[in-house]
C-alpha cells in the first residue's frame, strides 16, 4: 500500500501543477507582450469614435477613487464613483442594451430602450422607470469602457493626443491613447484609453487627477465577445407581481432649473467656453469641453442644507464667506449661498481656484423668495 501511494504521488504532483497553470492562465495571457503598431493618435481616436455601432457582450469592472460628498438623495452617484462596480453587459446599441450590476447581495439589471430605462432589482422585485432626459444622473452603463472612452475622446483636440504603447486586455490586443487636457482650469492630468485594434472599441479607461497617482477612475473589460446579443436578453417587461416606481433623483436639479427665471450666463467663465445642451433648463449653465467640464446649477433648499453640512465635514473643506468648496480627486464642488439669492452649486473637473474664479464671474441665479 505504501509503495502504491509513493507511486501515485508524482502523478498527483503533476495534476497539481496543471491545475495551478490553468488557474493562472488569464493572468499569464494578460501579461504576454503585445506588439505595438504605428497607428497615429488621431487615427486611433477616429477608430474609437467610429466604434459606436460595435455590438458586444462581456464582463466589466469599474473602480472609482472619488469620495463624493452628497446627500442621501444622491448616494447612488457617490457609490458609483467611489466603489468597485462589477457589470455584465449585453450591448446592441445606445438605445438597446442591458447592464447587470453584480454585488454580493444580488443583481440589479438596467435595461435601456428608446424611451428611457428600466432598473430591475431582483431581490426586492422592484422595477423603476426613468425617462430619457438631457441631464440624467450617471449610471453604471456610463462607466463601461466603450461608452466612457468615446465620450472622453469625442472633443479632444489633436494636439492633446499621444500614443502610449500596447497591452493585452480581456484577451484582446489593445493600443494605448492618452489625452492630456490643455485647459489651465482642468483638474484632470490625463486620460488613458486602451483601444481594441480590431474593432476600435475602448476596452480600458484610466483617469488621473493632477495631484495623485491613484486613478480617480479605472474601468476595464475582463471578458469581451464581439457578437450581437439576443434582443430578448436586453428587452424588459415588469413581471405582473413587481412593485413599480418612477425615478425622481434626476428631477431634483431639473426642477430647480425650470422654476428659476432664465439666467444670462456669460460666454466664458474661468477660461472655459459656454456650451449648450438641448433640453436643459435655462437656469443651468454648462461650460468647457472634453474632460474639462463645469456645470452651474441652482440647488433646492431641501438639498442645499444637507449638502452644505456634508461639504463642511470634509477636513479639506474651504469655507469663505457664503461659499464652501472641496476637491474630490479631479472633481471640484462649490456650494454658494448668497444672502439675497438662491443657493447654487458649481461642480466639474476643474481646480478649486477655477471654481472661485467662475463663481465671481457668474450672475446670481435668482432672488430669495
Amino acid at each position: 500500500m505504501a509503495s502504491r501511494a509513493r507511486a501515485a504521488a508524482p502523478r498527483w504532483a503533476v495534476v497539481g501543477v496543471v491545475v495551478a497553470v490553468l488557474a493562472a492562465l488569464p493572468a499569464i495571457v494578460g501579461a504576454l507582450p503585445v506588439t505595438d503598431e504605428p497607428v497615429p493618435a488621431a487615427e486611433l481616436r477616429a477608430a474609437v469614435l467610429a466604434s459606436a455601432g460595435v455590438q458586444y457582450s462581456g464582463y466589466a469592472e469599474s473602480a472609482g477613487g472619488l469620495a463624493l460628498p452628497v446627500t442621501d438623495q444622491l448616494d447612488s452617484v457617490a457609490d458609483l464613483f467611489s466603489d468597485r462596480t462589477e457589470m455584465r453587459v449585453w450591448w446592441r446599441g445606445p438605445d438597446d442594451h442591458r447592464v447587470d450590476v453584480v454585488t454580493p447581495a444580488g443583481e440589479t439589471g438596467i435595461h435601456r430602450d428608446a424611451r428611457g430605462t428600466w432598473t430591475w432589482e431582483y431581490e426586492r422585485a422592484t422595477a423603476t422607470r426613468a425617462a430619457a432626459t438631457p441631464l440624467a444622473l450617471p449610471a453604471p452603463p456610463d462607466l463601461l469602457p466603450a461608452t466612457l472612452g468615446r465620450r472622453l475622446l469625442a472633443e479632444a483636440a489633436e494636439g492633446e493626443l499621444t500614443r502610449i504603447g500596447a497591452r493585452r486586455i480581456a484577451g484582446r490586443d489593445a493600443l494605448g491613447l492618452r489625452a492630456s487636457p490643455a485647459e489651465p482650469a482642468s483638474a484632470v492630468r490625463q486620460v488613458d484609453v486602451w483601444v481594441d485594434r480590431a474593432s476600435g472599441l475602448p476596452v480600458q479607461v484610466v483617469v488621473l487627477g493632477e495631484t495623485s497617482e491613484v486613478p480617480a477612475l479605472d474601468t476595464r473589460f475582463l471578458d469581451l465577445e464581439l457578437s450581437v446579443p439576443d434582443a430578448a436578453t436586453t428587452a424588459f417587461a415588469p413581471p405582473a407581481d413587481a412593485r413599480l416606481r418612477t425615478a425622481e433623483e434626476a428631477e431634483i436639479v431639473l426642477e430647480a432649473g425650470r422654476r428659476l427665471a432664465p439666467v444670462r450666463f456669460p460666454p466664458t467663465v474661468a477660461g472655459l467656453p459656454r456650451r449648450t445642451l438641448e433640453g436643459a433648463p435655462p437656469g443651468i449653465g454648462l461650460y468647457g469641453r472634453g474632460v474639462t467640464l463645469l456645470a452651474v446649477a441652482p440647488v433646492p433648499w431641501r438639498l442645499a442644507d444637507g449638502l452644505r453640512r456634508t461639504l463642511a465635514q470634509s477636513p479639506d473643506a474651504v469655507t469663505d464667506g457664503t461659499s464652501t468648496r472641496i476637491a474630490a480627486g479631479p472633481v471640484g464642488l462649490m456650494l454658494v449661498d448668497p444672502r439675497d439669492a438662491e443657493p447654487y452649486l458649481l461642480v466639474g473637473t476643474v481646480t478649486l481656484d477655477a471654481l472661485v474664479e467662475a463663481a465671481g464671474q457668474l450672475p446670481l441665479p435668482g432672488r430669495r423668495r
Side-chain angles (χ1 to χ4, degrees):
M1 181 68 71
S3 62
R4 189 177 304 169
R6 285 195 298 271
R11 294 199 299 270
W12 284 114
V14 171
V15 172
V17 170
V18 172
V19 170
V21 170
L22 290 176
L25 191 56
I28 294 172
V29 171
L32 290 176
V34 177
T35 302
D36 196 4
E37 294 184 2
V39 179
E43 183 178 328
L44 190 57
R45 172 183 176 271
V48 168
L49 300 185
S51 71
V54 175
Q55 298 172 304
Y56 63 89
S57 58
Y59 196 91
E61 181 180 76
S62 170
L66 301 180
L68 294 178
V70 297
T71 64
D72 292 341
Q73 294 157 303
L74 297 175
D75 58 358
S76 62
V77 177
D79 291 343
L80 193 63
F81 287 97
S82 62
D83 293 340
R84 188 175 300 276
T85 304
E86 298 182 0
M87 299 168 282
R88 281 201 295 259
V89 55
W90 298 265
W91 192 275
R92 291 172 54 84
D95 293 332
D96 184 3
H97 57 260
R98 169 184 171 184
V99 177
D100 284 1
V101 178
V102 183
T103 69
E107 294 186 10
T108 298
I110 301 170
H111 300 252
R112 176 64 193 262
D113 57 42
R115 295 181 297 171
T117 61
W118 280 107
T119 299
W120 172 240
E121 300 174 70
Y122 294 86
E123 284 66 35
R124 298 174 58 189
T126 301
T128 303
R129 183 61 169 170
T133 64
L135 291 178
L137 295 177
D142 298 317
L143 294 188
L144 292 170
T147 307
L148 186 63
R150 280 193 298 270
R151 180 172 298 169
L152 296 183
L153 290 178
E155 298 179 353
E158 186 171 343
E160 297 173 316
L161 301 175
T162 55
R163 285 295 319 283
I164 52 172
R167 62 172 57 168
R168 184 168 280 105
I169 299 169
R172 305 189 68 85
D173 292 351
L175 304 181
L177 181 62
R178 174 169 295 168
S180 303
E183 288 81 5
S186 183
V188 175
R189 185 201 323 168
Q190 66 194 45
V191 175
D192 291 347
V193 181
W194 298 90
V195 184
D196 175 35
R197 62 176 156 193
S199 65
L201 201 71
V203 291
Q204 181 178 6
V205 178
V206 180
V207 180
L208 284 175
E210 284 286 353
T211 60
S212 176
E213 295 300 325
V214 178
L217 185 65
D218 183 347
T219 179
R220 68 184 72 187
F221 283 112
L222 303 180
D223 180 71
L224 180 64
E225 180 180 350
L226 299 182
S227 61
V228 182
D230 193 328
T233 301
T234 59
F236 179 78
D241 59 348
R243 177 172 173 252
L244 301 181
R245 295 178 61 246
T246 300
E248 298 177 353
E249 291 85 353
E251 291 296 321
I252 294 174
V253 173
L254 289 173
E255 172 192 345
R258 293 189 188 104
R259 67 185 177 85
L260 290 179
V263 177
R264 288 191 175 183
F265 287 105
T268 62
V269 296
L272 302 176
R274 188 183 177 193
R275 59 189 299 153
T276 59
L277 181 63
E278 185 177 355
I284 295 177
L286 302 171
Y287 290 87
R289 66 172 183 86
V291 299
T292 308
L293 297 172
L294 174 64
V296 184
V299 181
W301 296 112
R302 57 195 168 106
L303 181 60
D305 289 341
L307 183 55
R308 184 185 306 105
R309 290 192 296 269
T310 303
L311 289 174
Q313 291 173 359
S314 171
D316 299 322
V318 178
T319 300
D320 184 10
T322 60
S323 69
T324 303
R325 59 189 181 275
I326 72 163
V331 177
L333 301 96
M334 182 175 183
L335 181 68
V336 182
D337 191 3
R339 294 183 178 85
D340 59 349
E342 302 277 359
Y344 62 99
L345 178 70
L346 296 92
V347 58
T349 49
V350 298
T351 65
L352 293 186
D353 288 343
L355 288 179
V356 174
E357 181 181 352
Q361 297 169 344
L362 290 166
L364 296 179
R367 296 293 171 183
R368 290 184 186 270
R369 288 182 279 194

